[in-house]
Coordinates of all heavy atoms in Angstrom, one line a residue:
T1024 N 101.2 -1.7 47.4 CA 100.0 -1.0 47.1 C 99.6 -1.2 45.6 O 98.3 -1.5 45.2 CB 100.0 0.5 47.4 OG1 100.5 0.7 48.8 CG2 98.7 1.2 47.2
V1025 N 100.5 -1.1 44.7 CA 100.2 -1.2 43.3 C 99.9 -2.6 43.0 O 98.8 -2.8 42.3 CB 101.4 -0.8 42.5 CG1 101.3 -1.2 41.0 CG2 101.7 0.8 42.7
L1026 N 100.7 -3.5 43.6 CA 100.3 -5.0 43.2 C 98.9 -5.3 43.8 O 98.4 -6.4 43.2 CB 101.4 -5.9 43.9 CG 102.8 -5.8 43.3 CD1 103.8 -6.6 44.1 CD2 102.5 -6.5 41.9
A1027 N 98.5 -4.9 44.8 CA 97.1 -5.2 45.5 C 96.0 -4.9 44.2 O 94.9 -5.6 44.3 CB 97.0 -4.4 46.7
K1028 N 96.1 -3.8 43.6 CA 95.3 -3.5 42.6 C 95.6 -4.0 41.1 O 94.6 -4.3 40.4 CB 95.1 -1.9 42.5 CG 94.0 -1.4 41.8 CD 93.6 0.0 42.0 CE 92.4 0.5 41.4 NZ 92.2 2.0 41.6
Y1029 N 96.9 -4.0 40.9 CA 97.3 -4.5 39.6 C 98.4 -5.7 39.7 O 99.6 -5.4 39.6 CB 97.9 -3.4 38.7 CG 97.1 -2.2 38.8 CD1 97.4 -1.0 39.5 CD2 95.9 -2.0 37.8 CE1 96.6 0.1 39.5 CE2 95.1 -0.9 37.9 CZ 95.5 0.2 38.7 OH 94.7 1.3 38.7
P1030 N 98.0 -6.8 39.9 CA 98.8 -8.0 40.2 C 99.8 -8.2 39.0 O 101.0 -8.7 39.3 CB 98.0 -9.2 40.3 CG 96.6 -8.6 40.8 CD 96.5 -7.3 40.0
Y1031 N 99.5 -7.9 37.9 CA 100.4 -8.2 36.7 C 101.7 -7.3 36.7 O 102.6 -7.6 36.1 CB 99.6 -7.9 35.4 CG 99.1 -6.5 35.2 CD1 100.1 -5.5 34.8 CD2 97.8 -6.1 35.6 CE1 99.5 -4.1 34.6 CE2 97.4 -4.7 35.4 CZ 98.2 -3.8 35.0 OH 97.9 -2.5 34.9
Y1032 N 101.5 -6.3 37.6 CA 102.8 -5.3 37.7 C 103.9 -6.1 38.3 O 105.1 -5.6 38.3 CB 102.3 -4.2 38.6 CG 103.3 -3.0 38.4 CD1 103.2 -2.2 37.3 CD2 104.2 -2.7 39.5 CE1 104.1 -1.1 37.2 CE2 105.1 -1.6 39.2 CZ 105.0 -0.7 38.2 OH 105.9 0.3 38.0
L1033 N 103.6 -7.3 38.9 CA 104.8 -8.1 39.3 C 105.9 -8.4 38.3 O 107.0 -8.6 38.6 CB 104.3 -9.4 39.9 CG 105.2 -10.3 40.6 CD1 105.7 -9.7 41.9 CD2 104.6 -11.6 41.0
V1034 N 105.6 -8.4 37.0 CA 106.5 -8.7 36.0 C 107.5 -7.5 35.9 O 108.6 -7.7 35.6 CB 105.8 -8.9 34.6 CG1 104.9 -10.1 34.5 CG2 105.0 -7.6 34.1
N1035 N 107.0 -6.3 36.3 CA 108.0 -5.2 36.3 C 109.0 -5.4 37.4 O 110.3 -5.0 37.3 CB 107.2 -3.9 36.5 CG 106.4 -3.5 35.3 OD1 107.0 -3.1 34.3 ND2 105.1 -3.8 35.5
I1036 N 108.6 -5.9 38.5 CA 109.4 -5.9 39.7 C 110.3 -7.1 39.7 O 111.6 -7.0 40.0 CB 108.6 -6.2 41.0 CG1 107.6 -5.0 41.1 CG2 109.4 -6.2 42.3 CD1 106.5 -5.1 42.2
V1037 N 109.9 -8.2 39.1 CA 110.6 -9.5 39.2 C 111.4 -9.8 37.8 O 112.4 -10.4 37.9 CB 109.7 -10.7 39.4 CG1 110.4 -12.1 39.3 CG2 109.1 -10.5 40.8
I1038 N 110.9 -9.2 36.8 CA 111.7 -9.4 35.5 C 112.3 -8.2 35.0 O 113.5 -8.1 34.7 CB 110.7 -10.0 34.5 CG1 110.2 -11.4 35.0 CG2 111.4 -10.2 33.1 CD1 109.1 -12.0 34.1
F1039 N 111.4 -7.1 34.6 CA 112.0 -6.0 33.9 C 112.9 -5.1 34.7 O 114.0 -4.7 34.2 CB 110.7 -5.1 33.5 CG 109.7 -5.9 32.6 CD1 108.5 -5.5 32.5 CD2 110.2 -6.9 31.8 CE1 107.6 -6.1 31.5 CE2 109.3 -7.5 30.8 CZ 107.9 -7.2 30.9
A1040 N 112.7 -4.8 35.9 CA 113.5 -4.0 36.7 C 114.8 -4.7 36.8 O 115.9 -3.9 36.8 CB 112.9 -3.6 38.1
P1041 N 114.9 -5.8 37.3 CA 116.2 -6.6 37.5 C 117.0 -6.5 36.2 O 118.3 -6.3 36.2 CB 115.9 -8.0 37.9 CG 114.6 -7.9 38.6 CD 113.9 -6.8 37.8
I1042 N 116.5 -6.8 35.1 CA 117.2 -6.8 33.8 C 117.8 -5.5 33.5 O 119.0 -5.3 33.2 CB 116.3 -7.3 32.6 CG1 116.1 -8.7 32.8 CG2 117.1 -7.0 31.3 CD1 114.9 -9.3 31.8
M1043 N 116.9 -4.4 33.5 CA 117.5 -3.0 33.3 C 118.5 -2.6 34.2 O 119.5 -2.0 33.8 CB 116.2 -2.1 33.1 CG 115.5 -2.3 31.8 SD 114.3 -0.9 31.5 CE 113.1 -1.3 32.8
E1044 N 118.2 -2.8 35.4 CA 119.1 -2.4 36.4 C 120.5 -3.1 36.4 O 121.5 -2.6 36.6 CB 118.5 -2.5 37.9 CG 117.5 -1.5 38.1 CD 116.7 -1.8 39.5 OE1 117.1 -2.6 40.3 OE2 115.9 -0.9 39.8
E1045 N 120.6 -4.3 36.1 CA 121.8 -5.1 36.1 C 122.5 -4.6 34.8 O 123.8 -4.5 34.8 CB 121.5 -6.6 36.0 CG 121.0 -7.2 37.3 CD 121.9 -6.6 38.5 OE1 123.1 -6.9 38.5 OE2 121.1 -6.2 39.4
F1046 N 121.9 -4.4 33.7 CA 122.6 -3.8 32.5 C 123.3 -2.5 32.9 O 124.3 -2.2 32.4 CB 121.5 -3.6 31.3 CG 121.6 -4.7 30.5 CD1 120.5 -5.7 30.5 CD2 122.5 -4.9 29.4 CE1 120.5 -6.7 29.5 CE2 122.5 -6.0 28.6 CZ 121.6 -6.9 28.7
V1047 N 122.5 -1.6 33.6 CA 123.0 -0.2 33.9 C 124.1 -0.3 35.0 O 125.2 0.2 34.8 CB 121.8 0.7 34.2 CG1 122.3 2.0 34.7 CG2 121.1 0.9 33.0
F1048 N 123.8 -0.9 36.0 CA 124.5 -0.7 37.3 C 125.7 -1.7 37.4 O 126.8 -1.5 37.9 CB 123.7 -0.8 38.6 CG 122.8 0.4 38.7 CD1 121.5 0.4 38.4 CD2 123.3 1.6 39.2 CE1 120.6 1.4 38.5 CE2 122.5 2.7 39.2 CZ 121.1 2.6 38.9
R1049 N 125.5 -3.0 36.9 CA 126.5 -4.0 36.8 C 127.3 -4.1 35.5 O 128.6 -3.9 35.4 CB 126.0 -5.3 37.2 CG 126.3 -5.7 38.5 CD 125.9 -4.8 39.6 NE 124.3 -4.7 39.7 CZ 123.7 -4.0 40.5 NH1 124.3 -3.0 41.3 NH2 122.5 -3.9 40.6
K1050 N 126.6 -3.8 34.4 CA 127.3 -4.0 33.1 C 128.0 -2.6 32.8 O 129.2 -2.6 32.3 CB 126.3 -4.2 31.9 CG 126.9 -4.2 30.5 CD 127.8 -5.4 30.3 CE 128.2 -5.5 28.9 NZ 129.2 -6.4 28.6
V1051 N 127.4 -1.5 32.8 CA 128.0 -0.2 32.4 C 128.7 0.4 33.7 O 130.0 0.7 33.5 CB 126.9 0.8 32.1 CG1 127.5 2.2 31.8 CG2 126.3 0.3 30.7
L1052 N 128.0 0.7 34.8 CA 128.7 1.4 35.9 C 129.7 0.6 36.7 O 130.3 1.1 37.5 CB 127.7 2.0 36.8 CG 126.6 3.0 36.1 CD1 125.6 3.4 37.0 CD2 127.6 4.2 35.6

């Protein structure tokens, strides 16, 4: 729904979220 209106938000899903989540859940936890 968000992407339909704001296509640039894809960078959050494909780049930013994976980087931050891997640092937290794989690197730390």
Side-chain angles (χ1 to χ4, degrees):
T1024 301
V1025 174
L1026 286 171
K1028 194 169 184 180
Y1029 309 103
Y1031 62 83
Y1032 199 75
L1033 186 65
V1034 298
N1035 291 282
I1036 302 167
V1037 176
I1038 299 176
F1039 300 151
I1042 290 174
M1043 289 194 288
E1044 289 178 357
E1045 293 311 306
F1046 266 100
V1047 171
F1048 294 101
R1049 255 56 69 184
K1050 177 68 175 168
V1051 174
L1052 297 176

